[in-house]
Amino acid sequence: MTGKRNGTAKLLSDIWPGLVSVHCAAHRLALVCKDAAEEVPYMTIFRKHLQDLHLYFRNSANHTSALKRAAAVLNVADLKVTEVKDTRWLSQEKAIANLQRNLPAVLATLAEEADIRKDPVARGLYTYCATYRFVAAVLMQADILPHLTQLSKLFQKENVNFLAISQHVPVTIETLRQIKVAGEQQAPGSFLAQVTERVNLLNIDAEEERMARRKEPTSTTFWGRFQTQVMEPYIDGLIKHLELRFQQLGTLGAFSIFGGRLQDTTAFEYLKMLAQRFRTINEREVLQEWQSFNILVTSGIMKDKSQLEVLQLMASGYEELHLLYPNLSLLAAIALTIPVSSVNCERDFSAMNRIKTDLRNRLQGH
């Protein structure tokens, strides 16, 4: 529907150029993470193995019991290997948070199942997970995904502040860029700063033995290869897709004029941008309206009102506001009709699926 050539949004915008087509922000953010991972070969395999770990323990009571025993020995709390699903926004963040906390118990269980029970699946998972690169990838995502999750939660609010959208996406991009630039000198307290310590605690030596047989250096090569082959391409992909999928930040952020606390120069730039986008807005008149409207919002009757309340008042049937601010009232009505996200609709579908199941498909309303 949002295709650039023949999509519904493109065909409608040809008829009325002022149309604002918005893809759900929460969905876009989930696609950013998915697309970035698919561009890095290791991260594609990494994501698949996260799901394999979940299925390995979920589909067997014996495996789950062994995991709980290992957790009790290692004194690990909140034990769970969470599922990763694209239909759940950034579910990978929860999976990574649980895995990095429970990784010693998970590796111990896989090693026990592989050595004692001769389980080939456990052996394959252990061979993949008991490596420097896997541990580093888990810790890297434990540092990165919380920032993206916070952004997703912002978009999932019922009433999203336009100023928050225009400001927090660039902030998230800059945060990711700083993680990449920091390289091996990560900020104290971050998970990436603990890579060497966590690898030593987990006694991961099989990979070192393989590299020793190939007569390759070990300690420095691990991080260098991870940084150039995994971390930097993955973060570059996240930044690229964030910038690509949030190109309309200018138009959406311009509606923050209704939130107050903007300098005149910034407000005038936003108003000019909106006047150029929506031809029914007179640029000269809307700039004049702003001068008194700004006083009304900062020190007048709208001083303590939220952005949503200001928009509703401006777009309501109050005759005096329409007479005083005809162009701003029209912009307020446009702002109220722009759906930043579709999370409310998605929640309704989720509620319906929980109630109307395959076994309860003939429910009648009474």
Side-chain angles (χ1 to χ4, degrees):
M1 295 179 65
T2 57
K4 295 181 179 180
R5 296 182 179 180
N6 298 314
T8 304
K10 173 61 169 60
L11 297 176
L12 290 174
S13 63
D14 290 341
I15 301 173
W16 192 66
L19 177 72
V20 178
S21 172
V22 179
H23 184 190
C24 174
H27 280 118
R28 277 188 285 174
L29 196 55
L31 290 173
V32 165
C33 298
K34 180 175 179 292
D35 293 342
E38 289 178 349
E39 291 182 355
V40 182
Y42 181 82
M43 294 307 297
T44 303
I45 303 173
F46 175 85
R47 183 182 177 87
K48 177 182 180 299
H49 278 76
L50 285 182
Q51 185 68 4
D52 291 341
L53 278 173
H54 166 74
L55 295 175
Y56 180 80
F57 290 105
R58 190 196 70 175
N59 294 338
S60 172
N62 290 333
H63 299 162
T64 303
S65 178
L67 182 61
K68 290 181 178 180
R69 289 196 303 271
V73 173
L74 297 171
N75 195 25
V76 177
D78 300 326
L79 183 65
K80 192 175 184 181
V81 180
T82 312
E83 183 179 14
V84 178
K85 290 189 70 173
D86 291 332
T87 54
R88 295 176 184 170
W89 296 315
L90 296 176
S91 61
Q92 189 166 337
E93 193 270 337
K94 293 182 179 179
I96 289 294
N98 286 323
L99 182 58
Q100 70 85 15
R101 186 172 55 244
N102 302 322
L103 193 55
V106 171
L107 292 180
T109 303
L110 293 176
E112 178 182 347
E113 294 293 310
D115 293 338
I116 298 178
R117 299 181 182 274
K118 308 301 181 183
D119 187 341
V121 178
R123 184 175 298 280
L125 287 173
Y126 181 80
T127 301
Y128 179 82
C129 297
T131 60
Y132 182 99
R133 181 169 292 192
F134 180 83
V135 176
V138 169
L139 299 180
M140 175 191 70
Q141 291 213 315
D143 276 338
I144 290 175
L145 292 181
H147 298 291
L148 299 174
T149 300
Q150 291 175 2
L151 197 60
S152 179
K153 290 179 179 179
L154 174 68
F155 294 147
Q156 293 177 41
K157 291 176 60 178
E158 184 174 356
N159 300 314
V160 182
N161 189 298
F162 290 107
L163 183 61
I165 293 177
S166 63
Q167 290 183 345
H168 286 290
V169 171
V171 167
T172 302
I173 291 175
E174 182 58 29
T175 302
L176 296 176
R177 188 174 285 113
Q178 289 180 3
I179 294 175
K180 174 192 170 184
V181 172
E184 197 170 3
Q185 305 299 322
Q186 294 292 323
S190 65
F191 289 105
L192 277 173
Q194 307 170 16
V195 171
T196 302
E197 178 185 352
R198 295 288 292 271
V199 169
N200 292 336
L201 288 174
L202 293 171
N203 293 322
I204 296 176
D205 54 5
E207 190 173 13
E208 294 183 5
E209 293 177 0
R210 289 197 298 269
M211 296 188 72
R213 287 196 296 269
R214 294 197 297 263
K215 297 181 179 180
E216 298 179 9
T218 57
S219 58
T220 57
T221 303
F222 286 142
W223 173 262
R225 288 186 173 184
F226 171 76
Q227 183 177 0
T228 57
Q229 297 177 9
V230 180
M231 187 178 81
E232 291 181 353
Y234 179 63
I235 295 179
D236 286 339
L238 288 174
I239 293 174
K240 181 184 73 174
H241 288 289
L242 276 171
E243 294 173 342
L244 182 65
R245 291 189 177 274
F246 289 91
Q247 293 178 342
Q248 291 182 330
L249 290 180
T251 302
L252 295 178
F255 284 106
S256 61
I257 56 173
F258 294 100
R261 295 178 294 278
L262 286 178
Q263 296 180 355
D264 286 344
T265 53
T266 303
F268 288 161
E269 291 178 3
Y270 285 166
L271 288 170
K272 291 178 181 179
M273 183 187 304
L274 292 174
Q276 292 174 0
R277 181 61 186 268
F278 306 105
R279 299 300 183 182
T280 53
I281 303 298
N282 186 291
E283 181 177 326
R284 180 182 58 81
E285 292 179 0
V286 77
L287 292 176
Q288 291 177 343
E289 292 175 16
W290 165 259
Q291 295 178 352
S292 61
F293 173 76
N294 188 35
I295 298 175
L296 196 67
V297 173
T298 55
S299 59
I301 59 174
M302 296 186 183
K303 177 181 178 181
D304 298 323
K305 295 188 180 299
S306 66
Q307 184 184 75
L308 177 62
E309 292 172 334
V310 172
L311 288 171
Q312 290 173 338
L313 285 173
M314 292 296 295
S316 66
Y318 291 162
E319 183 179 355
E320 59 273 16
L321 291 178
H322 280 285
L323 289 174
L324 290 172
Y325 312 109
N327 291 279
L328 287 175
S329 296
L330 181 56
L331 285 176
I334 294 173
L336 287 173
T337 62
I338 295 179
V340 177
S341 69
S342 61
V343 293
N344 289 331
C345 297
E346 299 292 343
R347 288 176 181 138
D348 290 340
F349 284 119
S350 297
M352 179 189 71
N353 291 334
R354 287 193 297 269
I355 297 171
K356 186 177 180 180
T357 65
D358 292 340
L359 297 179
R360 299 164 61 186
N361 59 1
R362 293 177 180 270
L363 292 176
Q364 302 293 325
H366 296 287

